[in-house]
Amino acid sequence: MTIRFTPELIGSCTGRPPAGCRYCDRGSKMVLYITGVCTEDCYYCPLSEEKKGKDVIFANERRLPNEDWEMGALSEARMMSALGTGITGGDPLVVAERTVQAIKSLKEAFGRKHHIHLYTSSAFSRGRLYELAAAGLDEIRFHPPIRTWSDFHRDSPEGEAGKFAELFSSAKELGLSAGIEVPAVPDEPSAFGLRAIVDHAIRNRMDFVNINELEASHTNAARFNDRGFTLVGDSMAVEGSRELAEDVIGSAVRAHPGSRTVLHFCSSVYKDAVQLRNRLKRTARNVKKPYELITQDGTLLRGVLVTSDPYSMALRLGEEYGIPPELMEASGSMVLLAPWVLEAISNDLEEECYISEVYPTSDGLEVERIPL
Ligand code: SF4
């Protein structure tokens, strides 16, 4: 039998994982940050400083120019052979027309099967929802603001929660896969709200609820500190978040044994160790040069020789050591070489030589440098 998802994903879901999660699990989904602007100001917002509150667009780690973002997004999707895209923000509905355009462009370029899911924190109009569905959106993940969660405990939520409840059912009527995605915030009022929202989703036959492990970041650390949150070991996961999510899921399963709403706990470790690693590996296979090696983590290893005249140095290496041209490349003030070749000859050379481990992303961020 073909294994389509990792055991980590299967083990953290109460049923068949939501389609958006299945693509992320395989690392085949591009993340499109369509804007950093959002009308909310959640204290746990993990957005980085370069994105938060700014109308900037990123496809994976690549910043796209605002005036030509469509071409950039399509090129990034090609670079990783993306099978789908997760559109996020900020709140994508703050730039609703851009979001609709992104869905149309991606579907036109990659076909109907390119799976698109969208996160949003606004209770917008049904007309807007119709536009998103007509553009080709496959799945919608609502993130109602935390102040509304406890209002979902009523049979017919009112106010802002009521608007979300109407949108949930409209999304289902339009044939979208529809779910809720919220973090597990380990304090009493939020725990009550989380139970209310999960119960509401089950009673209203939503497709899924994704509960994320609460994570600290540079931008939310001070606010976490003020609330007395502590971290698990040397990770960024907040103590008590996993336990709360598991308890809420366990209670919901016992209370609604026949429910078809899939409950999924998405841990901080899983996001890094499975989703990100698989996406990097997928991109690495596409961008790897003959002189680079792909690591288990999806990063690339290459040898680097620093020189003021890389073209003459590459010629010399070819003549003296018989290194074939495809195993080296002059670049800036260095010659990039196959790491196994550089290791074999570095003792003969006076120039600075090292092995560089880089991300296979557009910024090529260096993770580690090992001097030779
Ligand atoms: S809704 Fe999302 S993007 Fe907006 S502030 Fe909250 S966590 Fe951040």
Side-chain angles (χ1 to χ4, degrees):
M1 188 182 83
T2 316
I3 297 178
R4 299 184 62 87
F5 332 122
T6 59
E8 288 89 343
L9 178 60
I10 294 170
S12 59
C13 282
T14 59
R16 187 175 164 79
C21 297
R22 302 202 297 266
Y23 285 92
C24 286
D25 185 60
R26 293 150 75 186
S28 62
K29 208 146 211 189
M30 176 172 77
V31 182
L32 181 58
Y33 293 90
I34 201 81
T35 180
V37 179
C38 176
T39 51
E40 296 298 320
D41 181 25
C42 308
Y43 68 85
Y44 51 75
C45 183
L47 275 187
S48 64
E49 266 157 16
E50 63 182 343
K51 295 181 181 132
K52 194 167 168 56
K54 299 183 179 136
D55 191 21
V56 289
I57 309 171
F58 282 75
N60 294 332
E61 291 75 18
R62 188 200 297 202
R63 168 98 191 253
L64 305 178
N66 280 40
E67 59 287 354
D68 195 19
W69 60 271
E70 278 180 77
M71 294 302 291
L74 297 181
S75 124
E76 181 70 19
R78 286 192 186 99
M79 193 167 110
M80 61 172 287
S81 304
L83 300 178
T85 298
I87 303 181
T88 184
D91 183 1
L93 267 295
V94 170
V95 290
E97 279 163 24
R98 187 188 295 165
T99 298
V100 168
Q101 185 54 39
I103 297 169
K104 284 184 183 160
S105 299
L106 288 160
K107 289 284 184 181
E108 264 170 39
F110 302 114
R112 201 171 43 85
K113 286 193 171 165
H114 185 87
H115 185 275
I116 301 181
H117 74 264
L118 168 80
Y119 299 88
T120 179
S121 50
S122 355
F124 48 92
S125 68
R126 192 177 194 280
R128 199 55 103 181
L129 188 62
Y130 180 80
E131 273 182 72
L132 294 167
L137 182 67
D138 297 288
E139 182 176 297
I140 188 157
R141 298 172 171 220
F142 294 100
H143 170 213
I146 196 165
R147 64 172 178 279
T148 68
W149 295 0
S150 57
D151 292 336
F152 283 93
H153 81 281
R154 304 195 188 106
D155 280 343
S156 302
E158 292 161 2
E160 209 175 342
K163 285 190 195 153
F164 273 104
E166 279 169 26
L167 263 186
F168 300 162
S169 45
S170 298
K172 295 285 299 165
E173 281 162 29
L174 287 170
L176 295 171
S177 164
I180 295 176
E181 179 147 339
V182 285
V185 180
D187 61 37
E188 259 321 303
S190 312
F192 176 82
L194 183 62
R195 288 180 206 285
I197 215 163
V198 169
D199 189 59
H200 176 90
I202 293 174
R203 284 188 285 110
N204 289 279
R205 297 192 169 83
M206 292 192 71
D207 293 306
F208 60 88
V209 182
N210 263 7
I211 305 180
N212 292 315
E213 189 166 25
L214 190 63
E215 277 183 276
S217 70
H218 290 302
T219 46
N220 64 21
R223 285 158 120 181
F224 279 16
N225 211 21
D226 292 346
R227 284 168 190 262
F229 291 155
T230 52
L231 302 183
V232 179
D234 55 5
S235 78
M236 297 303 269
V238 170
E239 197 92 52
S241 176
R242 167 185 283 271
E243 291 73 10
L244 171 63
E246 289 175 349
D247 184 55
V248 170
I249 291 174
S251 313
V253 168
R254 285 191 295 281
H256 306 275
S259 164
R260 301 185 75 166
T261 301
V262 174
L263 307 177
H264 172 216
F265 170 60
C266 192
S267 73
S268 161
V269 169
Y270 168 73
K271 282 199 193 89
D272 278 356
V274 179
Q275 291 183 347
L276 178 62
R277 192 185 57 203
N278 285 346
R279 175 159 67 77
L280 292 177
K281 278 185 178 167
R282 193 175 179 92
T283 308
R285 284 196 291 273
N286 282 354
V287 302
K288 177 186 120 36
K289 303 265 178 60
Y291 55 80
E292 291 174 324
L293 292 172
I294 302 179
T295 69
Q296 295 261 345
D297 294 328
T299 51
L300 294 169
L301 284 183
R302 50 165 67 153
V304 176
L305 182 156
V306 181
T307 169
S308 57
D309 188 355
Y311 291 95
S312 307
M313 176 56 81
L315 272 178
R316 190 187 127 199
L317 292 174
E319 282 166 9
E320 282 185 23
Y321 298 99
I323 303 171
E326 65 272 19
L327 291 189
M328 58 182 170
E329 181 183 0
S331 169
S333 58
M334 43 195 165
V335 180
L336 305 177
L337 292 120
W340 63 93
V341 172
L342 190 59
E343 272 173 349
I345 64 171
S346 62
N347 282 345
D348 295 352
L349 302 168
E350 287 180 355
E351 288 75 9
E352 180 189 357
C353 296
Y354 58 89
I355 303 296
S356 172
E357 180 180 355
V358 296
Y359 278 116
T361 49
S362 56
D363 57 4
L365 185 73
E366 188 173 64
V367 190
E368 201 178 354
R369 193 178 276 201
I370 305 162
L372 291 175

